[in-house]
């Protein structure tokens, strides 16, 4: 019995040693782990990968250098003549003597010049010359967008070019203001924005927000972050609250910038009391130069608007501040007809006016 027990223990020790040796060396052949084989690179046209593949050749990264500042942004090709759309705040650091360099998705670079820009809409058009094979980005229709629609954003967050993110349209017609660093209000942009949860970060500014057919429905322009409530000029990151200029507005502005170098702004011809804290937008008691707050012969004057009136609705939508009224007006074109509700002496009455036109800055 003793001999049998000793033999068993020795046999166990030998087997264990052999097992350890085989595990360490793999035996007589090398280890080969299972792996998927080569697959087609084709993706469904409406998948994120399919949208990105079609859109990336039309997206560019802009590096801007000025005497006092520099930065990175995004843009996309509008036509075969070299026009590229981006945000005004992307190119603004270049000033009148700075440099703008455009890098295409394939790595090619070119110098660009500003064709026109507008701070009120936060849009700018730059142009490259001597570049062949440009692929214009198809434009969609932002009026067709619905809450919940899938979208894809492309840009260069923190200078990481050709970054693709995806999400949905979270809301429409979000009245937002951005800018204001100058303090005099001349650089404030007013946007009736598309809201998206697609991750957008500094450097995405000016890039396209695309629908499921790879068409531009918005121009990514601003974010709300955990420690910043303004635009992408800071370095705060995304928390899923991004805002894009609707492409219908951007298309009109881009066409005006290309054709004339300036964009027109729709106006109602009144000076608002921006310190008013009540509900609605109140017409002031005097203009900025001390005159009448209602421009004589202007749209508001012809519609019967008076000093002290409070505008409470635009086309049936309630507004709560002067900023919201400006946003709603800017979402239209000069010549459009607006239906307003005006409160005077505690009573509301309907007012219809045709928007006038003013040159932007």
């Amino acid at each position: 019995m003793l001999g049998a027990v000793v033999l068993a223990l020795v046999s166990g020790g030998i087997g264990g040693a052999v097992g350890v040796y085989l595990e360490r060396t793999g035996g007589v052949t090398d280890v080969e782990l299972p792996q998927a084989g080569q697959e087609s690179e084709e993706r469904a046209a409406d998948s994120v990968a399919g949208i990105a593949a079609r859109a990336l050749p039309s997206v560019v990264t802009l590096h801007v250098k000025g005497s006092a500042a520099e930065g990175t942004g995004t843009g996309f090709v509008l036509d075969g003549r070299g026009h590229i759309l981006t945000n005004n705040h992307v190119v603004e650091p270049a000033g009148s003597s700075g440099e703008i360099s455009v890098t295409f998705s394939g790595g090619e670079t070119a110098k660009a010049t500003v064709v026109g820009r507008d701070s009120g809409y936060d849009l700018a058009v730059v142009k490259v010359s001597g570049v062949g094979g440009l692929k214009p980005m198809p434009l969609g229709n932002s009026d067709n967008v619905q809450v919940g629609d899938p979208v894809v954003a492309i840009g260069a967050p923190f200078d990481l070019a050709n970054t693709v993110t995806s999400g949905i349209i979270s809301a429409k017609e979000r009245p937002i203001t951005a800018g204001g660093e100058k303090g005099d209000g001349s650089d404030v942009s007013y946007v009736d924005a598309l809201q998206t949860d697609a991750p957008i970060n500094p450097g995405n500014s000016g890039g396209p927000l695309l629908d499921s057919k790879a068409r531009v429905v918005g121009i990514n322009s601003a974010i709300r972050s955990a420690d910043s409530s303004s635009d992408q000029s800071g370095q705060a990151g995304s928390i899923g609250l991004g805002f894009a200029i609707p492409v219908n507005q951007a298309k009109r502005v881009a066409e005006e910038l290309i054709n004339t170098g300036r964009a027109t702004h729709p106006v109602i011809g009144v000076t608002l009391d921006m310190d008013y804290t009540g509900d609605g937008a109140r017409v002031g008691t005097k203009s900025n130069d001390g005159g009448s707050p209602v421009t004589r012969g202007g749209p508001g004057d012809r519609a019967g608007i008076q000093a002290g009136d409070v505008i409470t609705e635009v086309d049936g939508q309630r507004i709560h501040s002067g900023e919201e009224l400006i946003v709603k007006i800017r979402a239209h074109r000069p010549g459009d007809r607006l239906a307003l509700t005006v409160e005077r002496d505690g009573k509301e009455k309907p007012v219809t006016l045709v928007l006038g036109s003013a040159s932007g800055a």
Side-chain angles (χ1 to χ4, degrees):
M1 292 294 293
L2 180 59
V5 171
V6 172
L7 179 62
L9 290 174
V10 172
S11 298
I14 294 174
V18 172
V20 170
Y21 175 78
L22 291 175
E23 182 178 347
R24 289 175 179 173
T25 64
V28 295
T29 60
D30 292 335
V31 172
E32 290 189 11
L33 300 176
Q35 183 181 21
Q38 187 71 29
E39 296 177 345
S40 170
E41 295 182 358
E42 295 295 323
R43 296 291 185 269
D46 60 352
S47 68
V48 174
I51 294 168
R54 285 184 286 169
L56 277 169
S58 304
V59 180
V60 303
T61 301
L62 291 88
H63 292 97
V64 181
K65 291 185 178 181
S67 59
E70 60 182 75
T72 302
T74 307
F76 58 90
V77 178
L78 288 173
D79 57 28
R81 298 165 58 189
H83 293 114
I84 293 169
L85 184 63
T86 187
N87 281 139
N88 174 66
H89 75 259
V90 169
V91 302
E92 189 173 29
S96 59
S97 59
E99 293 185 356
I100 302 174
S101 175
V102 171
T103 303
F104 294 86
S105 62
E108 306 91 342
T109 62
K111 297 297 183 183
T113 57
V114 175
V115 174
R117 61 189 186 93
D118 188 280
S119 59
Y121 287 113
D122 194 19
L123 291 169
V125 173
V126 302
K127 186 177 182 180
V128 294
S129 300
V131 179
L134 294 175
K135 185 177 179 181
M137 180 80 79
L139 305 183
N141 188 328
S142 48
D143 288 344
N144 295 336
V145 173
Q146 298 299 318
V147 173
D149 281 351
V151 287
V152 171
I154 302 180
F158 298 101
D159 208 9
L160 298 171
N162 304 326
T163 295
V164 178
T165 58
S166 66
I168 62 169
I169 294 293
S170 305
K172 297 175 61 176
E173 298 180 349
R174 287 292 199 209
I176 67 165
T177 60
E181 284 78 11
K182 292 183 178 179
D184 59 359
S186 62
D187 61 335
V188 176
S189 60
Y190 299 86
V191 181
D192 210 20
L194 298 174
Q195 180 183 328
T196 181
D197 68 348
I200 296 172
N201 288 286
N204 275 105
S205 289
L209 187 69
L210 304 161
D211 65 11
S212 60
K213 295 183 179 179
R215 302 174 301 194
V216 182
V217 292
I219 292 79
N220 301 316
S221 300
I223 61 172
R224 176 66 182 264
S225 58
D227 58 354
S228 173
S229 61
S230 60
D231 64 4
Q232 291 180 289
S233 59
Q235 293 298 302
S238 170
I239 58 170
L241 292 173
F243 302 94
I245 301 168
V247 72
N248 290 15
Q249 184 179 82
K251 175 180 180 292
R252 176 183 74 83
V253 174
E255 289 170 344
E256 290 188 342
L257 292 176
I258 292 170
N259 293 328
T260 70
R262 301 180 68 86
T264 57
H265 294 181
V267 295
I268 62 173
V270 303
T271 300
L272 298 176
D273 178 3
M274 302 305 284
D275 294 324
Y276 178 63
T277 57
D279 203 39
R282 186 169 69 182
V283 179
T285 57
K286 59 183 179 180
S287 66
N288 294 330
D289 60 6
S292 171
V294 180
T295 303
R296 179 169 297 184
D301 185 32
R302 292 194 298 269
I305 294 177
Q306 300 178 11
D309 283 352
V310 177
I311 301 170
T312 58
E313 291 183 359
V314 176
D315 288 339
Q317 290 187 318
R318 195 80 183 178
I319 60 168
H320 305 285
S321 66
E323 286 84 0
E324 282 193 31
L325 176 60
I326 296 172
V327 165
K328 293 300 181 186
I329 291 171
R330 292 279 177 88
H332 290 79
R333 296 170 177 263
D336 284 354
R337 187 178 298 272
L338 287 191
L340 308 180
T341 299
V342 175
E343 180 181 297
R344 183 186 303 158
D345 299 327
K347 297 180 180 180
E348 290 189 335
K349 70 171 187 175
V351 169
T352 301
L353 58 77
V354 176
L355 290 171
S357 176
S359 295

